[in-house]
Amino acid sequence: MLIANPIYDSAFKHLLENQHVAKFFIGTLLNKRIISISPRSPERTYIDPKDQELKLLRMDFTVEIETQSGEKQKAIIEMQKSDKLGTDVGRFRKYLGREYMSDTIPIISIYVLGFSLPRIETACLRIGRSYYDLIEDKKLDAISDFAERLTHDCYIVQVPRIQPRLKTTLDRLLSVFEQKNFTDKTESDKNYTYPISDAGVKEMTDILHYLSTDPEARKELDNERYYREYVEESFGDLYREIEEKSRTIDAKDAEIASKDAELAELKKKLEKYEG
């Protein structure tokens, strides 16, 4: 099936504007049943005035979640998507801070990244919270409404790390975002070749197929494609150089950490010998 590349902002927005897809996408990532969902505000795209490639798409939702105990809980989903490693982390924090100021409902943040984080090799990551009794040195099962409103879980999707596997619903959802089988070098369209067994995945691919094949629907996608082509021609080599240097630094950091561990082990052996 021919589909529009969902990592494009225009395609991603069309997907998440569909309530069924938004429920499926968020519910699958969180591994929770989403009872209801509604957008909090129109989507916003931030474009850095100094560097037109540094874009950040933000979409917010209010959801009602069914907890493991069967209770209903409201939460704010703060979703942000960025394609480039150079995006200022402060921009992510600024948007998140606004949500903390605007409401007291618990917040869950989701980041969809078009780049890979160093040393984090999974395609989908949850950074969670737990309640821990430091006096008794044990994990607690109870939760506090006060604490829930002041802290939050974080989910990160690293699109370049998505692998061709279909074992779980999450795998099949992520397969739609897999960056391969493109029809041409613009990477605006691709062939989705996997069997479809989930209603949510079917709805996603149907929307993306429509965006790819309908002349009127794909105007916005084409405009973004032209923009990306301009950016690639103007800054592509520079960004690849930055990413390569980043990988080199990460490799050196890992080597230093390994040597530090070896040195620490040798020191232990020396201390035992001297003792």
Side-chain angles (χ1 to χ4, degrees), residues 118-119 245-261:
R119 297 183 293 278
K245 287 183 178 179
S246 177
R247 284 193 292 269
T248 301
I249 291 171
D250 291 336
K252 288 182 179 178
D253 287 345
E255 184 179 351
I256 292 171
S258 176
K259 290 188 179 298
D260 285 345

Side-chain angles (χ1 to χ4, degrees), residues 1-4 14 204-218:
M1 178 189 291
L2 183 66
I3 65 172
H14 278 287
M204 291 174 69
T205 53
D206 283 348
I207 292 171
L208 294 172
H209 177 69
Y210 173 74
L211 291 175
S212 177
T213 57
D214 183 84
E216 288 297 319
R218 70 168 294 118

Side-chain angles (χ1 to χ4, degrees), residues 20-52:
H20 295 151
V21 169
K23 287 177 70 173
F24 174 68
F25 184 91
I26 295 170
T28 301
L29 281 184
L30 273 54
N31 193 26
K32 296 181 184 295
R33 179 170 173 259
I34 307 296
I35 300 170
S36 64
I37 185 169
S38 60
R40 286 177 59 82
S41 59
E43 79 348 273
R44 301 183 187 125
T45 300
Y46 167 78
I47 302 178
D48 193 300
K50 295 181 180 178
D51 184 344
Q52 295 292 302

Side-chain angles (χ1 to χ4, degrees), residues 105-255:
I105 301 174
I107 295 173
I108 299 170
S109 59
I110 298 175
Y111 301 104
V112 180
L113 307 179
F115 56 88
S116 298
L117 299 175
R119 297 183 293 278
I120 306 295
E121 297 184 0
T122 180
C124 197
L125 171 71
R126 180 176 70 87
I127 303 173
R129 300 156 303 146
S130 59
Y131 292 68
Y132 206 83
D133 182 344
L134 296 179
I135 303 300
E136 299 295 334
D137 193 25
K138 64 180 182 180
K139 187 177 179 180
L140 301 177
D141 293 328
I143 63 174
S144 161
D145 183 63
F146 176 81
E148 291 294 301
R149 293 168 187 266
L150 291 175
T151 56
H152 72 278
D153 286 345
C154 171
Y155 295 78
I156 298 175
V157 176
Q158 300 187 84
V159 173
R161 296 194 186 275
I162 295 174
Q163 298 296 319
R165 44 175 284 168
L166 304 171
K167 293 181 180 179
T168 66
T169 304
L170 178 60
D171 287 334
R172 297 188 287 274
L173 164 64
L174 294 177
S175 72
V176 179
F177 290 85
E178 188 179 19
Q179 296 296 287
K180 70 175 190 177
N181 295 328
F182 298 114
T183 58
D184 57 41
K185 65 179 182 180
T186 67
E187 300 185 357
S188 61
D189 300 276
K190 66 174 193 168
N191 287 306
Y192 185 77
T193 59
Y194 298 117
I196 299 174
S197 57
D198 302 272
V201 172
K202 184 179 187 310
E203 193 150 14
M204 291 174 69
T205 53
D206 283 348
I207 292 171
L208 294 172
H209 177 69
Y210 173 74
L211 291 175
S212 177
T213 57
D214 183 84
E216 288 297 319
R218 70 168 294 118
K219 281 183 178 179
E220 189 177 359
L221 189 72
D222 285 338
N223 288 337
E224 186 174 350
R225 175 169 62 84
Y226 298 144
Y227 169 80
R228 284 173 177 253
E229 288 175 352
Y230 160 74
V231 167
E232 171 61 25
E233 291 175 2
S234 303
F235 308 108
D237 291 341
L238 175 60
Y239 276 95
R240 280 186 285 275
E241 182 181 349
I242 291 172
E243 289 175 3
E244 180 59 34
K245 287 183 178 179
S246 177
R247 284 193 292 269
T248 301
I249 291 171
D250 291 336
K252 288 182 179 178
D253 287 345
E255 184 179 351

Side-chain angles (χ1 to χ4, degrees), residues 95-108:
Y95 283 151
L96 188 59
R98 287 177 180 173
E99 290 296 354
Y100 272 110
M101 293 174 63
S102 66
D103 212 318
T104 59
I105 301 174
I107 295 173
I108 299 170

